[in-house]
Amino acid sequence: MITELKDPFNHEYWMKEAFREAEKALQKDEVPVGAVIVKDNRIIARGHNMVEQLKDPTAHAEMIAITAACETLSEKRLENCILYVTLEPCPMCAGAMLQARLNSCVYGTADPKAGACDSLYHLCEDPRLNHRIRVISGVREEACRALLQAYFKQKR
């Protein structure tokens, strides 16, 4: 009997990499959000929140990763790329994802206060826009949520 091997490169695998980035943010006393961008089963960019460190409100994990991916590919478009991020993207990040023409966004936990993919808005799949991004939610949701909750509990 032949046993089919499971593909080790699945959403869980890549979200673990994004989670490692979130842990880097936590070590820097940043809101622990991490992101990776994958193309052809390899990470082409990584990012984690650096808002406090850079004193820049746009330095979200997704923005850092998008900029790095564009630099890696020497392209302004990230077609056939997937963004993995531990927290549902905000409107700014969802807008950048659309401008970059990402193929998909996979996120860990929802953001009921600022989420622009499912929670408050559905920017990535809005038919009025000229590009759509497939959204997959809830990958490693409990771990991603727990990390954020622990951070904010410690801050209070």
Side-chain angles (χ1 to χ4, degrees), residues 32-44:
V33 178
V36 297
I37 296 179
V38 174
K39 183 173 184 173
D40 299 328
N41 271 338
R42 69 181 184 92
I43 294 174
I44 61 167

Side-chain angles (χ1 to χ4, degrees), residues 90-92 94-95 98 116-118 121-126 129 131:
C90 71
M92 173 184 68
L98 287 161
C117 296
D118 287 319
Y121 307 102
H122 296 275
L123 286 179
C124 294
E125 297 169 332
D126 191 323
L129 300 173
H131 181 70

